[in-house]
Amino acid sequence: MSDFADYGYDICRSGRPPALPANLTQLDELAARQMTAEAYGYVAGGAGTEATMRANREAFDRRRLVPRVLRDVSAPDLSVELFAPTGFATRVPAPVLLGPVGVLATVHPDGELAVARAAAAVGVPLVLSLAASHSIEEVAAASGGGTRWCQFYLPADRELGVSLLARARAAGYGAIMVTLDAVTTGWRPRDLDNAYLPFLQGAGVASYVSDPVFQRAAGGPVLSWDDAMTLMANDRTFGWRDLAFIREHWEGPVLLKGILHPDDARRAADSGVDGIVVSNHGGRQVDGAIATLDALPAVVDAVGDRLTVLLDSGVRTGADVVKALVLGARAVLIARPYAFGLALDGQDGVEHVVRCLLAETQLTMILAGVSRASDLAGSGLVAAALCSPAHRGE
Amino acid sequence: MSDFADYGYDICRSGRPPALPANLTQLDELAARQMTAEAYGYVAGGAGTEATMRANREAFDRRRLVPRVLRDVSAPDLSVELFAPTGFATRVPAPVLLGPVGVLATVHPDGELAVARAAAAVGVPLVLSLAASHSIEEVAAASGGGTRWCQFYLPADRELGVSLLARARAAGYGAIMVTLDAVTTGWRPRDLDNAYLPFLQGAGVASYVSDPVFQRAAGGPVLSWDDAMTLMANDRTFGWRDLAFIREHWEGPVLLKGILHPDDARRAADSGVDGIVVSNHGGRQVDGAIATLDALPAVVDAVGDRLTVLLDSGVRTGADVVKALVLGARAVLIARPYAFGLALDGQDGVEHVVRCLLAETQLTMILAGVSRASDLAGSGLVAAALCSPAHRGE
Amino acid sequence: MSDFADYGYDICRSGRPPALPANLTQLDELAARQMTAEAYGYVAGGAGTEATMRANREAFDRRRLVPRVLRDVSAPDLSVELFAPTGFATRVPAPVLLGPVGVLATVHPDGELAVARAAAAVGVPLVLSLAASHSIEEVAAASGGGTRWCQFYLPADRELGVSLLARARAAGYGAIMVTLDAVTTGWRPRDLDNAYLPFLQGAGVASYVSDPVFQRAAGGPVLSWDDAMTLMANDRTFGWRDLAFIREHWEGPVLLKGILHPDDARRAADSGVDGIVVSNHGGRQVDGAIATLDALPAVVDAVGDRLTVLLDSGVRTGADVVKALVLGARAVLIARPYAFGLALDGQDGVEHVVRCLLAETQLTMILAGVSRASDLAGSGLVAAALCSPAHRGE
Amino acid sequence: MSDFADYGYDICRSGRPPALPANLTQLDELAARQMTAEAYGYVAGGAGTEATMRANREAFDRRRLVPRVLRDVSAPDLSVELFAPTGFATRVPAPVLLGPVGVLATVHPDGELAVARAAAAVGVPLVLSLAASHSIEEVAAASGGGTRWCQFYLPADRELGVSLLARARAAGYGAIMVTLDAVTTGWRPRDLDNAYLPFLQGAGVASYVSDPVFQRAAGGPVLSWDDAMTLMANDRTFGWRDLAFIREHWEGPVLLKGILHPDDARRAADSGVDGIVVSNHGGRQVDGAIATLDALPAVVDAVGDRLTVLLDSGVRTGADVVKALVLGARAVLIARPYAFGLALDGQDGVEHVVRCLLAETQLTMILAGVSRASDLAGSGLVAAALCSPAHRGE
């Protein structure tokens, strides 16, 4: 079993300051200075006034841990089991995954390939974006023996969807994560002020243009990106009934990403999916959406025992990971932190980010008196909230 | 049906950054650099310490949307019907109106004419201020086929009031909006520190000096503005009984603007008016007044089914529009944002502001899982509030 | 009846920007640039980290007014009656008094004389500090026909106390205000960092050194200020029983200043005093003390009908005055704002401060739909609070 | 009995500004400019994003005191009795102790010797860190007649533990304080970014290397610090059962430091220890841990009458001391403030810090109407909280 907490001790013993800071909330500012304005705006920006982005962070900051003492923490174990309620039990070494981020070639030439290598090196799963700059197969090759999952949007062209799923399965992706909260792109002032949409420049279409169904539909290589986006477009009529179609073409675990309301979580459980991700897309879609950590408890109450609940949007520190797990998430996904790590230091930067996060997670867990990450939910560790929003309507 | 959301996509496809930012909360700071100190102070300033202005924004920021997923949003419809409960059913293409702002010639030479043209171009109603720099008839001409309403104050000289109403009707204004919260001008330190009151320089009297009753009362053209203001003065004894006088002289919809207390809303419904505007005059009158979004739910509870409830003061983003509609407003009015747009880029600036607002409103609605703006109230979309003020007295 | 609201209109009509800003919360920063570091530190500073000073302001900022509409406000009346419950009914033209501030010669050469002249000119009562730079008699002469009250500390030397009370009565002071919250000086880092205590330099002893009892006790003129302070020292055993002594030597209204707990307010009413001032000494004594506006409602509940409740500490704007009156104060006292006005512009500065405050008070009252200041308490005007502190102990 | 409040008066009478500020919250910034980056980072820094450090301060700032008036405060007494419930009744002259801070030689060459001299001079107990730069015996000698306690960690090597306890007893330490919340070092980005861990450079091992058991285990002087840390390592299996071992080897009072949960407090009382310290290690261990003042009331409710409850983490001012005592702590410990005092002005700096803190404590107590520190808990003095976090889990 890896002792993730060694990372910090090794830094101090080396006497060499690390290339990137150990406080991952400082990466954003560093990245802003180094990335192009367009790439930084795309990665760091959110919808509207970015209120949801701030809310995501505040929801973590408002929670308090109440550590316990004099418990044996000599054998810490960060691993957690996913998908047990639905029969696909899988153990991952730590409760952290790298969530899907598109067009990473705009951030670093190696893009998703560097991320896949870093994820495999540290031992955390990568969820590949369908809007990646490298194709499903290229990233699988870079990932090697690493655990990988694949994001999925339901395209209006169902045949294209079938083809993408078949390729993901063939390339060793273990689960698919269906993004529900992006039937259209949100209002993102930073991109608009730059008149920048990376998809319009073909930066995130590698998995599409390499697809035989897409190629046939396009009818040739000289396709404008404007036209290509029509082919790639999501189905805006996508509804609960269409989950059967996905299940028909995918044998492994299916997760739905972008659920915030407990009624949608119940519907997801009724539909037989294996997991959901409580997510507001990192605050990039609906400005003013509820913070994911504020939404989590009601969702866990509703379906926590019927399927696997994950969470993303705003996770920056090991304390955040612990809080999310105490409140019922089985694991969390991070996105911007590793994208900034990639921008600042390539594969090494991604590894640093993940190692810092896991080290702090393990230290926080031990110091809170808990040995196993899987014991955080329902443990004697209590998270108290300061001024939580009520869930009732007005 | 217009697809308001195309505006953002069109910007990105053009590759040309827009002249004004897409995040409308940034206009204020830009305008501060470009406008004269007097004009900026007048438009941007509020009463006292401007606490109400901040409260208006915070009330929006404190609310959270809980989006729903997997709903068919392929045919979004921003249009809403106004005045149905009182028999004047009117459909407007979007739940946004341009509220009354006076003396716009101090902001841009084209003043209200440019605003009227922009409103007509985008298809949103304009509510003309009686303190405009251009007269009722001039603005009607600029408005062309656009929907226009007219603000109304009850002058001490009732004959003048009758004349103004007759002119508005003749010039094609469809409704009047009676401003209640400005029986006198609030304590506005920015104007006081500039010793600036635009009315004392004749900047907002076009509709008065062109009025035959006013001209007769003035007895000649060499009237000091100090004396003119006496003639234009509101009736400080104006009470509920006087609404009968207004109704007698106006056949179309009558709205009361400036209501914050649910008892006043009930009294308005009892008085037979067609609509009310929950407003604190953009924080320009009573420093410390309750934020309009905080006041809205109690008002909607009291009268939401008896008349049409609108809201203004603090609306800056599409997410704000959605929140106000979820909480029961049928539509909202904006003011400072378009005045800043006018200051920065004339008619084009006004259009940009309105198009951004409508685009974000539509995107937010779709991404929240709702197809029709009229379904936001009472929909499954929930707005949760963080630390709302209690409405009970102490 | 004065129309206090004319002040703002007169400024705009004059076209001449006023010497001092109309937003009185801006005076502090201006004064900081102009006053000596010692004098500014003494006037502006508070106890400890100045948390109480911030709390005083936040308590006002947290309250919201809910204005009413369509009420006849054509005859506003700011006057209020004090001391009616205890038989000393007195009407003052506005619900604002100038509270006691010591050693004003360190702020401006004319010190309390200029303040007395300004108070008389505007028509508000002045409460003279016993630690003033000018004596009881000198300030009475400057005050002329103006209403004046006198602050009182209980000296350990009771004969000195009797003498001071007799002089105040002889000089036409109408009431005494016994300060309870200053048995010793609080921990004031600004003064400590300057090693500055103005009393040690004789700046606030005019009423003492001119006193025959004090002179006799001192036994001659060559007294060090260190010794003088011993003679002037308050009685630290001062208790409820000693109020009988004060009443014995003072026939007019007696007020107790510095009450925050409702049980102390009840005890004060039982003791037969005529009024209390809910005060934390402007945050200068106990760092972390409850804000006065937060303390007010429980005090008014306890004794509001038995004696006259005033409030100070943190009042800066007309909206503050209205909020305090809605919550049950009969009138408020200001201190730092007029001291800054004095520092910046002498008597004119004090007048400007008071006139601005009264103008905004009147405008806010009218715009809230209330005609008479005495109707604010118990009116339909509601003050809602955001996140008030609980009054229960832990 | 010392009159601690004289310190401020003496400063003003001297006319000489003190070398360090009287507002102790300003020391951090001054120290940041003067200390080495490594030492400052180590002392001032906290775990992760330092959210717990901010929470500690906010918990004090959120509480409000409600002073009482007209009580006899002529004979203030800051002394408190500790350990009475468990039969070790000890009176200390003030409710403040200097808590354990390690490696102070990195802050000032005199390190813990200067601190011990200052503590003895003012008359407050010192709790020596086992990770001090000077040994148990050296600090005892510097402490002279001053009260001293000794921190204790349970080493994996029990024989070493027995030896350390025996030495502390022999050197006149009156109590031991067992630190529970540091079974490993937290994630401290400032140290990590400096690749700095002072223990790896031998800065805090004086009491170990001088220990005969340690010397025997090390087998010689040429031990790398990396290896030494293994010998000094805490026992990560340390549990409630091991308290019997400690009790067996220590006859005086035993305190447990680092308790935040009331169930752990109950367990501590059941285990027969004499005191607990509600502490989150100054926010240096678990980022996001509950503030100690927020945790205190539930702990006091659980065990306040069975053992002595102390508190540390975030205490900076006399008002903080009073608040903690009102909420049930018998005394508090400070750490960073005196470390900054040491850095800035050696022994004099430490004395200044303690004297300021005690002076403000006494003034605040008097001005709140309380004569004896031991009467603060359960007195009529009420602390109200604004928006406290709920203690229930989610």
Side-chain angles (χ1 to χ4, degrees):
Chain A
M1 188 165 40
S2 307
D3 194 349
F4 295 111
D6 283 349
Y7 188 59
Y9 193 70
D10 290 348
I11 288 173
C12 290
R13 201 160 39 190
S14 77
R16 286 191 307 275
L20 299 182
N23 175 349
L24 302 179
T25 65
Q26 297 173 343
L27 293 174
D28 191 322
E29 197 179 321
L30 292 173
R33 283 188 234 139
Q34 197 153 326
M35 296 170 75
T36 65
E38 285 79 9
Y40 176 75
Y42 179 73
V43 171
T49 61
E50 302 184 342
T52 300
M53 287 171 55
R54 289 186 295 276
N56 284 335
R57 291 299 307 144
E58 288 164 5
F60 283 103
D61 286 346
R62 249 187 290 118
R63 257 80 183 186
R64 297 277 168 262
L65 297 167
V66 187
R68 304 301 300 268
V69 295
L70 290 175
R71 297 183 166 194
D72 182 339
V73 290
S74 57
D77 180 2
L78 275 194
S79 74
V80 293
E81 199 174 55
L82 307 178
F83 309 129
T86 51
F88 284 108
T90 310
R91 185 159 289 272
V92 289
V96 173
L97 298 88
L98 303 194
V101 179
V103 299
L104 284 173
T106 64
V107 169
H108 187 280
D110 297 340
E112 296 83 6
L113 303 180
V115 177
R117 288 179 196 123
V122 186
V124 296
L126 166 69
V127 188
L128 177 66
S129 168
L130 266 195
S133 304
H134 294 91
S135 74
I136 290 170
E137 291 78 9
E138 290 166 331
V139 173
S143 174
T147 301
R148 51 191 176 266
W149 298 358
C150 190
Q151 185 204 27
F152 188 67
Y153 287 92
L154 186 66
D157 178 346
R158 295 294 154 92
E159 203 186 344
L160 175 60
V162 171
S163 174
L164 291 165
L165 289 172
R167 291 169 59 200
R169 192 170 46 246
Y173 290 80
I176 60 160
M177 186 175 282
V178 187
T179 297
L180 304 181
D181 57 3
V183 292
T184 184
T185 302
W187 182 256
R188 299 186 189 162
R190 297 203 203 213
D191 292 342
L192 292 160
D193 290 354
N194 289 328
Y196 178 72
L197 195 59
F199 306 100
L200 285 170
Q201 290 154 23
V205 298
S207 290
Y208 289 92
V209 297
S210 60
D211 191 280
V213 175
F214 182 91
Q215 289 170 347
R216 194 164 51 222
V222 216
L223 190 72
S224 80
W225 293 124
D226 206 39
D227 291 341
M229 287 190 71
T230 305
L231 286 180
M232 295 183 285
N234 303 319
D235 181 356
R236 289 198 187 183
T237 71
F238 184 19
W240 292 101
R241 68 189 175 285
D242 298 304
L243 294 178
F245 170 85
I246 293 172
R247 180 60 84 191
E248 189 183 335
H249 295 279
W250 183 262
E251 285 160 21
V254 173
L255 296 101
L256 301 183
K257 176 161 169 282
I259 284 179
L260 292 167
H261 196 289
D263 287 347
D264 283 341
R266 273 184 213 101
R267 188 90 184 253
D270 294 345
S271 302
V273 299
D274 303 286
I276 57 176
V277 186
V278 175
S279 171
N280 54 32
H281 216 106
R284 302 164 71 83
Q285 293 288 86
V286 169
D287 193 31
I290 189 170
T292 53
L293 200 72
D294 286 332
L296 180 64
V299 168
V300 169
D301 275 358
V303 301
D305 55 346
R306 296 175 66 195
L307 47 66
T308 296
V309 178
L310 308 183
L311 174 141
D312 72 15
S313 303
V315 177
R316 295 292 175 273
T317 75
D320 295 344
V321 177
V322 170
K323 288 171 183 176
L325 266 65
V326 168
L327 294 181
R330 291 298 287 177
V332 301
L333 297 92
I334 58 167
R336 284 191 189 92
Y338 84 73
F340 292 141
L342 176 67
L344 291 164
D345 202 21
Q347 177 182 340
D348 288 350
V350 178
E351 287 193 34
H352 172 81
V353 165
V354 181
R355 290 189 198 281
C356 284
L357 192 71
L358 297 184
E360 191 191 356
T361 300
Q362 180 173 320
L363 289 173
T364 302
M365 188 179 78
I366 292 175
L367 291 169
V370 176
S371 280
R372 289 188 296 270
S374 56
D375 287 344
L376 284 169
S379 73
L381 182 62
V382 180
L386 197 67
C387 289
S388 281
H391 267 267
R392 60 195 157 65
E394 282 183 282
Chain B
M1 187 166 40
S2 307
D3 194 348
F4 295 111
D6 283 349
Y7 187 60
Y9 193 71
D10 290 347
I11 288 173
C12 290
R13 200 160 39 190
S14 77
R16 286 190 308 274
L20 299 182
N23 175 349
L24 303 178
T25 64
Q26 297 172 344
L27 294 174
D28 191 322
E29 197 179 322
L30 291 173
R33 283 187 234 140
Q34 198 155 324
M35 296 170 74
T36 66
E38 285 80 8
Y40 175 75
Y42 180 73
V43 171
T49 61
E50 303 186 340
T52 300
M53 287 172 54
R54 290 187 295 276
N56 284 334
R57 290 299 307 144
E58 288 163 4
F60 283 103
D61 287 345
R62 249 186 291 117
R63 258 79 182 187
R64 297 277 168 261
L65 298 167
V66 187
R68 305 301 299 266
V69 295
L70 290 175
R71 297 180 167 198
D72 183 339
V73 290
S74 57
D77 179 3
L78 275 194
S79 74
V80 293
E81 200 175 53
L82 308 178
F83 309 130
T86 52
F88 284 108
T90 311
R91 186 159 287 272
V92 289
V96 173
L97 300 87
L98 303 193
V101 179
V103 299
L104 285 174
T106 64
V107 169
H108 187 281
D110 296 340
E112 296 82 6
L113 304 181
V115 177
R117 289 178 195 124
V122 186
V124 297
L126 165 69
V127 188
L128 177 66
S129 168
L130 266 196
S133 304
H134 296 91
S135 74
I136 291 170
E137 291 78 9
E138 289 166 331
V139 174
S143 174
T147 301
R148 51 191 176 264
W149 299 357
C150 191
Q151 185 204 26
F152 188 67
Y153 287 92
L154 187 67
D157 177 347
R158 295 293 155 94
E159 203 186 341
L160 174 61
V162 172
S163 174
L164 291 165
L165 289 173
R167 290 168 59 200
R169 191 169 46 246
Y173 291 80
I176 60 158
M177 186 175 283
V178 187
T179 298
L180 305 180
D181 57 2
V183 291
T184 184
T185 301
W187 182 256
R188 300 185 190 162
R190 297 202 204 211
D191 291 343
L192 292 161
D193 289 353
N194 289 330
Y196 178 71
L197 195 59
F199 306 100
L200 284 170
Q201 291 154 22
V205 298
S207 291
Y208 289 92
V209 297
S210 60
D211 192 279
V213 175
F214 182 91
Q215 289 169 348
R216 196 164 53 222
V222 216
L223 190 72
S224 80
W225 293 123
D226 205 38
D227 291 340
M229 287 191 70
T230 305
L231 287 181
M232 295 183 285
N234 303 320
D235 180 357
R236 289 198 188 184
T237 70
F238 184 19
W240 292 102
R241 69 190 175 287
D242 298 304
L243 293 177
F245 170 84
I246 293 173
R247 179 61 83 190
E248 189 183 336
H249 295 279
W250 184 263
E251 286 161 20
V254 173
L255 296 101
L256 302 182
K257 177 160 168 285
I259 284 179
L260 292 167
H261 196 289
D263 287 347
D264 283 340
R266 271 184 214 101
R267 189 91 185 252
D270 295 343
S271 303
V273 301
D274 304 287
I276 57 177
V277 185
V278 175
S279 173
N280 54 33
H281 217 105
R284 301 164 72 82
Q285 293 289 86
V286 169
D287 194 30
I290 189 171
T292 54
L293 200 71
D294 286 332
L296 180 64
V299 168
V300 169
D301 275 356
V303 301
D305 54 345
R306 297 176 65 195
L307 47 66
T308 296
V309 178
L310 308 183
L311 174 142
D312 72 14
S313 303
V315 177
R316 295 291 176 274
T317 74
D320 295 345
V321 177
V322 170
K323 288 171 181 174
L325 267 66
V326 168
L327 294 181
R330 292 296 287 176
V332 302
L333 296 91
I334 58 167
R336 284 191 188 93
Y338 83 74
F340 292 142
L342 176 68
L344 291 164
D345 201 22
Q347 177 181 340
D348 287 351
V350 178
E351 287 193 34
H352 172 81
V353 165
V354 181
R355 289 190 198 281
C356 284
L357 192 71
L358 297 185
E360 192 190 356
T361 300
Q362 180 173 320
L363 289 172
T364 302
M365 188 179 78
I366 292 175
L367 291 169
V370 176
S371 280
R372 287 188 298 268
S374 56
D375 287 345
L376 284 168
S379 72
L381 183 62
V382 181
L386 197 66
C387 289
S388 281
H391 268 266
R392 61 195 158 66
E394 283 183 281
Chain C
M1 187 164 41
S2 307
D3 194 349
F4 296 111
D6 284 348
Y7 188 59
Y9 193 71
D10 291 348
I11 288 173
C12 290
R13 199 159 41 190
S14 77
R16 287 190 308 275
L20 299 183
N23 175 350
L24 302 179
T25 65
Q26 297 172 345
L27 293 174
D28 191 322
E29 198 180 321
L30 292 173
R33 284 189 233 137
Q34 199 154 324
M35 295 170 75
T36 66
E38 285 78 9
Y40 175 76
Y42 179 72
V43 171
T49 62
E50 302 184 341
T52 300
M53 287 172 55
R54 288 186 297 276
N56 284 335
R57 291 298 306 143
E58 288 163 5
F60 283 103
D61 287 345
R62 249 186 292 117
R63 257 79 182 185
R64 298 276 168 261
L65 298 167
V66 186
R68 305 300 300 266
V69 295
L70 290 175
R71 299 181 165 197
D72 183 339
V73 290
S74 56
D77 179 2
L78 275 194
S79 74
V80 293
E81 199 175 55
L82 307 178
F83 309 129
T86 51
F88 284 108
T90 311
R91 185 160 288 273
V92 289
V96 173
L97 299 86
L98 303 193
V101 179
V103 299
L104 284 173
T106 64
V107 169
H108 188 279
D110 296 340
E112 296 82 7
L113 303 181
V115 176
R117 289 178 195 123
V122 186
V124 296
L126 165 69
V127 188
L128 177 67
S129 168
L130 266 195
S133 305
H134 295 90
S135 73
I136 291 170
E137 290 78 10
E138 289 166 331
V139 173
S143 174
T147 302
R148 50 192 177 266
W149 298 358
C150 191
Q151 186 205 25
F152 187 66
Y153 288 91
L154 186 68
D157 178 347
R158 294 294 154 92
E159 204 186 343
L160 174 60
V162 171
S163 173
L164 291 165
L165 289 173
R167 291 169 59 202
R169 190 169 46 246
Y173 290 79
I176 60 159
M177 186 176 283
V178 187
T179 297
L180 305 181
D181 57 2
V183 290
T184 185
T185 302
W187 183 256
R188 299 186 190 162
R190 297 202 204 211
D191 292 343
L192 292 161
D193 290 353
N194 288 328
Y196 178 72
L197 196 59
F199 306 99
L200 285 170
Q201 291 154 24
V205 297
S207 291
Y208 289 92
V209 297
S210 60
D211 192 280
V213 175
F214 183 90
Q215 288 170 348
R216 195 165 53 223
V222 217
L223 191 71
S224 81
W225 293 123
D226 205 39
D227 292 339
M229 287 191 71
T230 305
L231 286 181
M232 295 184 284
N234 303 319
D235 181 356
R236 289 200 187 182
T237 70
F238 183 18
W240 292 102
R241 69 191 173 285
D242 298 304
L243 294 177
F245 170 85
I246 293 172
R247 179 62 83 190
E248 189 182 337
H249 296 278
W250 184 263
E251 286 161 21
V254 173
L255 297 100
L256 301 182
K257 177 160 168 282
I259 283 180
L260 292 167
H261 196 288
D263 286 348
D264 283 340
R266 272 185 213 100
R267 189 90 184 254
D270 295 344
S271 302
V273 300
D274 303 287
I276 57 176
V277 185
V278 175
S279 172
N280 54 33
H281 217 106
R284 301 164 72 82
Q285 292 290 85
V286 169
D287 193 31
I290 189 170
T292 53
L293 200 71
D294 286 332
L296 179 65
V299 168
V300 169
D301 276 357
V303 301
D305 54 346
R306 298 176 64 194
L307 46 67
T308 296
V309 178
L310 308 183
L311 174 142
D312 71 14
S313 303
V315 177
R316 295 291 176 274
T317 75
D320 296 343
V321 177
V322 170
K323 288 172 182 175
L325 267 64
V326 168
L327 294 182
R330 291 298 286 177
V332 301
L333 297 91
I334 59 166
R336 284 190 188 92
Y338 84 72
F340 292 141
L342 176 68
L344 291 164
D345 202 22
Q347 177 181 341
D348 287 351
V350 178
E351 287 193 34
H352 172 82
V353 165
V354 182
R355 290 191 198 280
C356 284
L357 192 70
L358 297 184
E360 192 191 356
T361 300
Q362 180 173 321
L363 289 173
T364 303
M365 189 180 78
I366 293 175
L367 291 169
V370 176
S371 281
R372 286 188 298 270
S374 56
D375 287 344
L376 284 168
S379 73
L381 182 62
V382 180
L386 196 67
C387 288
S388 281
H391 268 266
R392 61 196 158 65
E394 281 182 284
Chain D
M1 188 162 41
S2 307
D3 195 349
F4 295 112
D6 284 348
Y7 187 59
Y9 193 72
D10 290 347
I11 288 173
C12 290
R13 199 159 41 189
S14 77
R16 286 190 308 274
L20 299 183
N23 176 348
L24 303 179
T25 65
Q26 296 172 344
L27 293 174
D28 191 322
E29 197 180 321
L30 292 173
R33 284 188 233 138
Q34 197 154 325
M35 294 171 74
T36 66
E38 285 79 9
Y40 176 75
Y42 179 74
V43 171
T49 61
E50 302 184 341
T52 300
M53 286 171 55
R54 288 187 296 276
N56 284 335
R57 290 299 307 142
E58 288 163 4
F60 283 103
D61 287 345
R62 250 186 291 117
R63 257 81 183 185
R64 298 276 168 261
L65 298 167
V66 186
R68 305 302 300 267
V69 295
L70 290 175
R71 298 182 166 197
D72 182 338
V73 290
S74 56
D77 179 2
L78 275 194
S79 74
V80 293
E81 199 174 55
L82 307 178
F83 309 129
T86 51
F88 283 108
T90 311
R91 185 160 289 272
V92 289
V96 172
L97 299 88
L98 303 194
V101 178
V103 300
L104 284 174
T106 64
V107 169
H108 187 280
D110 296 341
E112 296 82 8
L113 303 181
V115 176
R117 288 177 195 124
V122 186
V124 297
L126 166 68
V127 188
L128 177 66
S129 168
L130 266 195
S133 304
H134 295 91
S135 73
I136 291 171
E137 290 78 10
E138 289 166 331
V139 173
S143 175
T147 302
R148 51 192 176 266
W149 298 358
C150 191
Q151 184 204 28
F152 188 66
Y153 287 91
L154 187 66
D157 178 347
R158 295 293 154 92
E159 202 187 345
L160 175 59
V162 172
S163 175
L164 292 165
L165 290 172
R167 291 168 58 201
R169 192 169 46 245
Y173 290 80
I176 60 159
M177 186 176 283
V178 187
T179 298
L180 304 181
D181 57 2
V183 291
T184 184
T185 302
W187 182 256
R188 299 185 190 162
R190 297 203 203 212
D191 291 343
L192 292 161
D193 289 353
N194 289 329
Y196 178 71
L197 195 59
F199 306 99
L200 284 171
Q201 290 153 24
V205 297
S207 290
Y208 289 92
V209 297
S210 60
D211 192 279
V213 175
F214 182 90
Q215 288 169 349
R216 196 163 52 221
V222 217
L223 192 70
S224 80
W225 294 122
D226 205 39
D227 291 339
M229 286 190 72
T230 305
L231 286 181
M232 296 182 285
N234 303 319
D235 181 355
R236 289 198 187 184
T237 70
F238 184 19
W240 292 101
R241 68 189 174 285
D242 298 304
L243 294 178
F245 171 84
I246 293 173
R247 180 61 84 190
E248 187 183 340
H249 295 279
W250 184 262
E251 285 160 22
V254 173
L255 296 100
L256 301 183
K257 177 161 168 282
I259 284 180
L260 292 167
H261 196 288
D263 287 347
D264 283 340
R266 271 183 213 101
R267 189 89 184 253
D270 295 343
S271 302
V273 299
D274 303 286
I276 57 176
V277 185
V278 175
S279 172
N280 55 32
H281 216 106
R284 302 165 71 82
Q285 292 290 85
V286 170
D287 193 31
I290 189 171
T292 54
L293 200 72
D294 287 331
L296 180 65
V299 168
V300 169
D301 276 357
V303 301
D305 54 347
R306 298 176 64 195
L307 46 66
T308 296
V309 179
L310 307 183
L311 174 141
D312 72 15
S313 304
V315 177
R316 295 291 176 273
T317 74
D320 296 343
V321 177
V322 171
K323 288 172 182 175
L325 266 65
V326 169
L327 294 182
R330 291 297 288 176
V332 302
L333 297 91
I334 59 166
R336 284 190 188 92
Y338 83 73
F340 292 142
L342 176 68
L344 292 164
D345 201 22
Q347 177 182 342
D348 287 351
V350 177
E351 287 193 35
H352 172 81
V353 164
V354 181
R355 289 190 198 281
C356 284
L357 191 70
L358 297 185
E360 191 191 357
T361 300
Q362 179 173 322
L363 289 173
T364 302
M365 189 180 77
I366 292 174
L367 291 169
V370 177
S371 279
R372 286 189 297 269
S374 56
D375 286 344
L376 283 168
S379 73
L381 182 62
V382 180
L386 195 67
C387 289
S388 280
H391 267 266
R392 59 194 158 67
E394 282 183 283

